[in-house]
Amino acid sequence: MEWTPGARELADLELLVSGAFEPLAGFLGHDDLHAVHERGTLADGTPWPAPVTLHLPDEVAPGDEVTLLDPEGAPLAVLTVTERGHDGLAAGPLRGLGAAEHGPFARLRRTPAEVRELLGGRPSLVVTMRGPLDDLAEVTATAKELDAVIVLLPLAYGEPGPAVVRAALKAKDRLPEDTLVVPVPLAPREEPELDLELREHVATAYGATEHLAGPEPVSIPGPPHRRGLVVFFTGLSGSGKSTIARGLRDALLELGSRTVTHLDGDVVRSLLSKGLTFSKADRDLNIRRIGFVAAEAARHGGLAICAPIAPYAATREEVREMVESVGADFLLVHVATPLEECERRDRKGLYAKARAGIIPEFTGVSDPYEEPDDADLTIDTTHISIEAAVSQVLGALRSGGWVR
């Protein structure tokens, strides 16, 4: 079986395979995870600060071998599954299949073993960075005191990653000529203390005689009207979400203050997701594709409007995370028109076909619709016009500062 891990899991996978997460040989199982949470050690007592886990599909069982792929489909490692939990977590040893080559600045990557070889036994000052080093005086003075080579490890994870690498390259120009810059895809942990401990472990793996943790960057978001935004409509077939979405698109185009991308569910189905069925797996994939395109539009400051049914809460949350991970905002609009009204309209005859058994797994009839409890705006179109519904959404955009 082949599987592409999520972004955080992929980053951890690279560090496991490269040896940066030494002494770990694979993703953690139940006993190690329990020990990490309770004592900050592995089950055998070895200090380790934070969980390193992998989720795999339900069909994976102990004894299976899973080839883990990068986002471009290249194999990175083979996991031999020794443990499989009910929560989807899988554990087992890893066998690396080669160096990671996806993502920016691949030419700068080095394994810990390669860096230690370049150091040739000389002392080293390893500086881990999540943002620019505004003051290099401490770095320079400490390296001079130790007579050490400076190794800058920009922690290049996620959307800010390339900027952190560029900041390291800029700092290198003001440091001794033998300074090394080695990007490391270490995902931040939520608790600052655990994040710092993990940075210490990685620095040690890269041969640190001493470790300096660079200051955390101060992030000041731009004003809402300059940030990317995804307006994501969800609701039953016939609820009016597509019509409201088109009306919102037209209203925004008339205002002319934002670049607008409109991703209608039916249009996406005929192009981007052509060939997908209406099984749960394919519906989830369809929503993820919509979310990916919308996030890419929002990444560059655009406003994307999406109007799929999106019946499952977990998949909607995935899209929210995609969008927010690129620094954009996400507005969930639940078009909560009741099933009876949607079925009464039945403009396409879909409900009639579903009731007759011609369309299997039809949302609201033979498949569930999970109503959102995190909607930013809820609209029932039973007794209001489309124009009034569009005005409600436009009002929310104005009050949030996304449209002026």
PDB file of all heavy atoms in Angstrom, residues 14-30:
ATOM      1  N   GLU A  14      10.539  13.023   7.547  1.00  0.00           N
ATOM      2  CA  GLU A  14      11.859  13.421   7.033  1.00  0.00           C
ATOM      3  C   GLU A  14      12.901  13.419   8.138  1.00  0.00           C
ATOM      4  O   GLU A  14      14.043  12.981   7.939  1.00  0.00           O
ATOM      5  CB  GLU A  14      11.770  14.805   6.404  1.00  0.00           C
ATOM      6  CG  GLU A  14      11.029  14.854   5.079  1.00  0.00           C
ATOM      7  CD  GLU A  14      11.122  16.226   4.444  1.00  0.00           C
ATOM      8  OE1 GLU A  14      12.231  16.781   4.414  1.00  0.00           O
ATOM      9  OE2 GLU A  14      10.078  16.745   3.997  1.00  0.00           O
ATOM     10  N   LEU A  15      12.511  13.903   9.323  1.00  0.00           N
ATOM     11  CA  LEU A  15      13.468  13.988  10.425  1.00  0.00           C
ATOM     12  C   LEU A  15      13.786  12.610  10.990  1.00  0.00           C
ATOM     13  O   LEU A  15      14.910  12.355  11.430  1.00  0.00           O
ATOM     14  CB  LEU A  15      12.910  14.911  11.507  1.00  0.00           C
ATOM     15  CG  LEU A  15      12.728  16.359  11.043  1.00  0.00           C
ATOM     16  CD1 LEU A  15      11.985  17.178  12.086  1.00  0.00           C
ATOM     17  CD2 LEU A  15      14.063  17.002  10.738  1.00  0.00           C
ATOM     18  N   LEU A  16      12.803  11.707  10.968  1.00  0.00           N
ATOM     19  CA  LEU A  16      13.060  10.331  11.392  1.00  0.00           C
ATOM     20  C   LEU A  16      14.042   9.644  10.444  1.00  0.00           C
ATOM     21  O   LEU A  16      15.009   9.005  10.877  1.00  0.00           O
ATOM     22  CB  LEU A  16      11.748   9.547  11.447  1.00  0.00           C
ATOM     23  CG  LEU A  16      10.801   9.859  12.610  1.00  0.00           C
ATOM     24  CD1 LEU A  16       9.425   9.252  12.345  1.00  0.00           C
ATOM     25  CD2 LEU A  16      11.366   9.330  13.920  1.00  0.00           C
ATOM     26  N   VAL A  17      13.792   9.793   9.140  1.00  0.00           N
ATOM     27  CA  VAL A  17      14.616   9.102   8.145  1.00  0.00           C
ATOM     28  C   VAL A  17      16.040   9.672   8.110  1.00  0.00           C
ATOM     29  O   VAL A  17      17.013   8.936   7.938  1.00  0.00           O
ATOM     30  CB  VAL A  17      13.948   9.200   6.756  1.00  0.00           C
ATOM     31  CG1 VAL A  17      14.878   8.688   5.671  1.00  0.00           C
ATOM     32  CG2 VAL A  17      12.649   8.394   6.744  1.00  0.00           C
ATOM     33  N   SER A  18      16.153  10.988   8.300  1.00  0.00           N
ATOM     34  CA  SER A  18      17.478  11.621   8.220  1.00  0.00           C
ATOM     35  C   SER A  18      18.330  11.373   9.456  1.00  0.00           C
ATOM     36  O   SER A  18      19.544  11.568   9.438  1.00  0.00           O
ATOM     37  CB  SER A  18      17.332  13.131   8.025  1.00  0.00           C
ATOM     38  OG  SER A  18      16.902  13.766   9.221  1.00  0.00           O
ATOM     39  N   GLY A  19      17.704  10.957  10.559  1.00  0.00           N
ATOM     40  CA  GLY A  19      18.436  10.778  11.802  1.00  0.00           C
ATOM     41  C   GLY A  19      18.373  11.972  12.724  1.00  0.00           C
ATOM     42  O   GLY A  19      18.953  11.960  13.818  1.00  0.00           O
ATOM     43  N   ALA A  20      17.658  13.027  12.316  1.00  0.00           N
ATOM     44  CA  ALA A  20      17.555  14.228  13.153  1.00  0.00           C
ATOM     45  C   ALA A  20      16.731  13.984  14.408  1.00  0.00           C
ATOM     46  O   ALA A  20      16.869  14.724  15.386  1.00  0.00           O
ATOM     47  CB  ALA A  20      16.953  15.375  12.346  1.00  0.00           C
ATOM     48  N   PHE A  21      15.868  12.941  14.376  1.00  0.00           N
ATOM     49  CA  PHE A  21      15.075  12.592  15.552  1.00  0.00           C
ATOM     50  C   PHE A  21      15.696  11.425  16.323  1.00  0.00           C
ATOM     51  O   PHE A  21      15.005  10.692  17.022  1.00  0.00           O
ATOM     52  CB  PHE A  21      13.644  12.245  15.153  1.00  0.00           C
ATOM     53  CG  PHE A  21      12.705  13.429  15.129  1.00  0.00           C
ATOM     54  CD1 PHE A  21      11.388  13.261  14.715  1.00  0.00           C
ATOM     55  CD2 PHE A  21      13.118  14.691  15.504  1.00  0.00           C
ATOM     56  CE1 PHE A  21      10.498  14.336  14.700  1.00  0.00           C
ATOM     57  CE2 PHE A  21      12.255  15.770  15.485  1.00  0.00           C
ATOM     58  CZ  PHE A  21      10.938  15.593  15.090  1.00  0.00           C
ATOM     59  N   GLU A  22      16.978  11.246  16.180  1.00  0.00           N
ATOM     60  CA  GLU A  22      17.687  10.229  16.925  1.00  0.00           C
ATOM     61  C   GLU A  22      17.382  10.383  18.421  1.00  0.00           C
ATOM     62  O   GLU A  22      17.348  11.505  18.915  1.00  0.00           O
ATOM     63  CB  GLU A  22      19.182  10.478  16.653  1.00  0.00           C
ATOM     64  CG  GLU A  22      20.132   9.425  17.026  1.00  0.00           C
ATOM     65  CD  GLU A  22      21.546   9.802  16.542  1.00  0.00           C
ATOM     66  OE1 GLU A  22      22.130  10.731  17.124  1.00  0.00           O
ATOM     67  OE2 GLU A  22      22.029   9.203  15.591  1.00  0.00           O
ATOM     68  N   PRO A  23      17.052   9.324  19.161  1.00  0.00           N
ATOM     69  CA  PRO A  23      17.245   7.906  18.830  1.00  0.00           C
ATOM     70  C   PRO A  23      16.002   7.219  18.256  1.00  0.00           C
ATOM     71  O   PRO A  23      15.949   5.990  18.221  1.00  0.00           O
ATOM     72  CB  PRO A  23      17.573   7.318  20.202  1.00  0.00           C
ATOM     73  CG  PRO A  23      16.712   8.117  21.138  1.00  0.00           C
ATOM     74  CD  PRO A  23      16.699   9.511  20.586  1.00  0.00           C
ATOM     75  N   LEU A  24      14.969   7.961  17.851  1.00  0.00           N
ATOM     76  CA  LEU A  24      13.760   7.327  17.322  1.00  0.00           C
ATOM     77  C   LEU A  24      14.061   6.613  16.010  1.00  0.00           C
ATOM     78  O   LEU A  24      14.748   7.146  15.135  1.00  0.00           O
ATOM     79  CB  LEU A  24      12.662   8.368  17.090  1.00  0.00           C
ATOM     80  CG  LEU A  24      12.165   9.181  18.288  1.00  0.00           C
ATOM     81  CD1 LEU A  24      10.919   9.963  17.905  1.00  0.00           C
ATOM     82  CD2 LEU A  24      11.896   8.293  19.489  1.00  0.00           C
ATOM     83  N   ALA A  25      13.485   5.422  15.876  1.00  0.00           N
ATOM     84  CA  ALA A  25      13.657   4.649  14.640  1.00  0.00           C
ATOM     85  C   ALA A  25      12.367   4.574  13.849  1.00  0.00           C
ATOM     86  O   ALA A  25      12.337   4.009  12.749  1.00  0.00           O
ATOM     87  CB  ALA A  25      14.133   3.232  14.972  1.00  0.00           C
ATOM     88  N   GLY A  26      11.294   5.155  14.398  1.00  0.00           N
ATOM     89  CA  GLY A  26      10.007   5.123  13.712  1.00  0.00           C
ATOM     90  C   GLY A  26       8.980   5.903  14.512  1.00  0.00           C
ATOM     91  O   GLY A  26       9.303   6.527  15.537  1.00  0.00           O
ATOM     92  N   PHE A  27       7.744   5.873  14.048  1.00  0.00           N
ATOM     93  CA  PHE A  27       6.668   6.571  14.744  1.00  0.00           C
ATOM     94  C   PHE A  27       6.343   5.854  16.061  1.00  0.00           C
ATOM     95  O   PHE A  27       6.491   4.637  16.172  1.00  0.00           O
ATOM     96  CB  PHE A  27       5.436   6.650  13.844  1.00  0.00           C
ATOM     97  CG  PHE A  27       5.631   7.555  12.663  1.00  0.00           C
ATOM     98  CD1 PHE A  27       5.953   7.040  11.414  1.00  0.00           C
ATOM     99  CD2 PHE A  27       5.515   8.929  12.800  1.00  0.00           C
ATOM    100  CE1 PHE A  27       6.143   7.872  10.324  1.00  0.00           C
ATOM    101  CE2 PHE A  27       5.707   9.773  11.722  1.00  0.00           C
ATOM    102  CZ  PHE A  27       6.024   9.249  10.477  1.00  0.00           C
ATOM    103  N   LEU A  28       5.906   6.632  17.036  1.00  0.00           N
ATOM    104  CA  LEU A  28       5.729   6.107  18.388  1.00  0.00           C
ATOM    105  C   LEU A  28       4.456   5.273  18.513  1.00  0.00           C
ATOM    106  O   LEU A  28       3.407   5.630  17.972  1.00  0.00           O
ATOM    107  CB  LEU A  28       5.683   7.252  19.394  1.00  0.00           C
ATOM    108  CG  LEU A  28       6.921   8.160  19.455  1.00  0.00           C
ATOM    109  CD1 LEU A  28       6.771   9.183  20.574  1.00  0.00           C
ATOM    110  CD2 LEU A  28       8.193   7.351  19.629  1.00  0.00           C
ATOM    111  N   GLY A  29       4.570   4.188  19.286  1.00  0.00           N
ATOM    112  CA  GLY A  29       3.424   3.347  19.605  1.00  0.00           C
ATOM    113  C   GLY A  29       2.802   3.739  20.932  1.00  0.00           C
ATOM    114  O   GLY A  29       3.205   4.711  21.585  1.00  0.00           O
ATOM    115  N   HIS A  30       1.816   2.958  21.367  1.00  0.00           N
ATOM    116  CA  HIS A  30       1.021   3.294  22.548  1.00  0.00           C
ATOM    117  C   HIS A  30       1.874   3.475  23.802  1.00  0.00           C
ATOM    118  O   HIS A  30       1.741   4.465  24.534  1.00  0.00           O
ATOM    119  CB  HIS A  30      -0.027   2.193  22.786  1.00  0.00           C
ATOM    120  CG  HIS A  30      -0.828   2.405  24.026  1.00  0.00           C
ATOM    121  ND1 HIS A  30      -0.431   1.892  25.258  1.00  0.00           N
ATOM    122  CD2 HIS A  30      -1.981   3.080  24.251  1.00  0.00           C
ATOM    123  CE1 HIS A  30      -1.303   2.240  26.180  1.00  0.00           C
ATOM    124  NE2 HIS A  30      -2.270   2.965  25.598  1.00  0.00           N
TER     125      HIS A  30
END
